[in-house]
Amino acid sequence: MRRTVRPPKCLNFQRGRGRNLTTLVAFCLVFAFLVRRLTHRDRVLLESEILDQYMNGPPSGSDARSRRYKYVASSINWGNITQEYPPQLPLARVPNPHLARPLPRVQHTFAAESSDAARLRESRRAMVRNLALRDWTSYRKYAWKQDALMPLSAAGRDQFSGWAATLVDSLDTLWIMGFRDEFDDAVAAVAEIDFGKSTSDTVNIFETNIRYLGGLLAAFDLSGREVLLHKAIELGDLIYAGFNTENRMPVDNINVAMAKKGKGLDNDSQVVSASPGTLTLELTRLSQVTGDHKYYDAITGIVELFYQGQKQTSIPGLFPMYVSMSRMDVTSGFTFTLGGCADSLYEYFPKMYALLRGAEPKFETLTRGFMEAAKKHLFFRPMVPDLDDILISGTVNVGVDGTLTLDPQSEHLTCFIGGTFALAGRLLGSEEDVQVGARLARGCAYAYRAFPTGIMPERFDMIACGGAEPCRWDEDKWVAARDGNVESKPHLPKGFVTAKDPRYILRPEAIESVFYLWRVTGDAEWQDAAWDMFQAVATGTRGPIASAAVRDVTVDLDELPQEDYMESFWLAETLKYFYLVFSPPDLISLDKYVLNTEAHPFLRA
């Protein structure tokens, strides 16, 4: 029988008791570290096992997976509505991943760490955990059951249908960080959400899918709480209603009134390519956990459309920023990027390959195709004064004559690509691509270090080095480019021509790639980079009650100008990635989980 280890009561934080959280967290983490040295039948207890025992243990006196919550069914049963345009039968079935060949190991094989290294890592993890608890506590106090916290005015606001986006988005973060009371409190609130009512007339299918459905599925995968699966099915059926179109392609925004009646919806003539392309992972996982193949069947049309079109675009392998679902056209555009509007389309190709364990070969083809094209056309080495061998991902515009022009503009959203290359490289057995991912992640880490606040701005321009030329620093060239650009500012660090959008809105993509590179390579540089980044963002975003977005990170002031908003992805993604970098690597292992674009971990079937 497995030894049951109960962490000390200090892990069960109670609001309002006035305890010294830093001391308590440090003590608890040292306790957990020592507990991992305990063995049963010569097997060391893993961090993930200790966490599971704690989160599913007392005070209820029984396994918390069977804990009862007051489940309130949504006022509309979306699954019972007859659609005007039902799918053709038979439905496509989720491939059986157990019939596929085994995939290569993703994570580095980590050696045992020294006591000194463990203490340093745990102390850093405690700092991240403290910040997350502070921000969650403020959300709980000032914006409970609303979509987002306004950290400067101590209020809440709704932006994503009013279904408590921050609450649902943060469920798995609460679990991973060991906030048992907070997690159970949040699950009880989720059990009462009415997905039949919305604060807006339309529901954005992309945000609903990645934040809400992704959050519910991941929290269910981690905790086994059945009420979360019930709510995931309710919401999945709503998203499924977005496929009620003549060609079974999804809409960008679901008209709630029409969807309630089962009326056919009109496809969009133009949407960002990430919108339909980022429905695959969540709906596939929903089919896996429910055994209902209709969700997977819905996304097969999207996959086939991109698969058939990949070699037909102006840059074969890549897809234009905008596509048309009404015309089923994913080939006709002339702007190509891995940044905003397209990012998670590409992110999901290797992640679907991992989730299905390679059982659907289309995702390997899509992954290899986009990676080769991106290396050839989108990635560039920027001209920087210290000659760092880094890569940045830009944008390519295709002229009417077919000429390709690189625009060396990049953005924080693009920083996910280093981690995606590292993950895909390991899955596909290409260490060369892992190293490309490392250079891309270093490029974003460089951008953080370059600015005086230690934080990278939302959008910026650099100078691309010539392909065959040595990448030497040319100050005159940089000054001319800076002075010749009306959007430039004289105080920008060398190498940066503009900071077109100087904000930091709590984005996770840079630390996301750092996390992947740490888990894939085991190189200590990534933990060091993460700590530098965390100190900078924790300081710059600290508001009176919680973390807030920053209006300008290009100037170093005692107090940075802030915006009155805390995005749900700050708790869902950014702080989670920081926490996982400083956690034992078995916690959310990349060989056991696939993380969606909102950092929600799904079990690999």
Side-chain angles (χ1 to χ4, degrees), residues 475-522:
E475 184 125 3
D476 292 338
K477 184 177 182 179
W478 170 68
V479 170
R482 182 196 64 186
D483 293 348
N485 194 308
V486 296
E487 295 183 276
S488 186
K489 299 176 183 177
H491 65 270
L492 295 180
K494 291 183 178 181
F496 291 84
V497 176
T498 74
K500 290 178 178 176
D501 187 343
R503 298 176 301 158
Y504 173 67
I505 62 172
L506 310 176
R507 285 206 188 276
E509 291 78 18
I511 185 57
E512 173 184 349
S513 281
V514 168
F515 160 74
Y516 276 98
L517 265 299
W518 163 244
R519 288 292 185 88
V520 169
T521 70

Side-chain angles (χ1 to χ4, degrees), residues 447-460:
Y448 267 74
R449 294 195 309 272
F451 285 87
T453 57
I455 307 174
M456 168 186 174
E458 179 77 355
R459 186 173 292 109
F460 58 87

Side-chain angles (χ1 to χ4, degrees), residues 120 137 173 188 319 329 403 452 505:
L120 176 62
T137 301
T173 299
F319 298 96
D329 179 4
T403 302
I505 62 172

Side-chain angles (χ1 to χ4, degrees), residues 164-192:
T166 294
L167 191 157
V168 179
D169 226 359
S170 302
L171 284 169
D172 51 15
T173 299
L174 297 174
W175 176 274
I176 290 167
M177 293 188 182
F179 295 133
R180 184 169 62 187
D181 287 353
E182 286 78 4
F183 178 79
D184 285 332
D185 189 30
V187 173
V190 167
E192 299 177 351

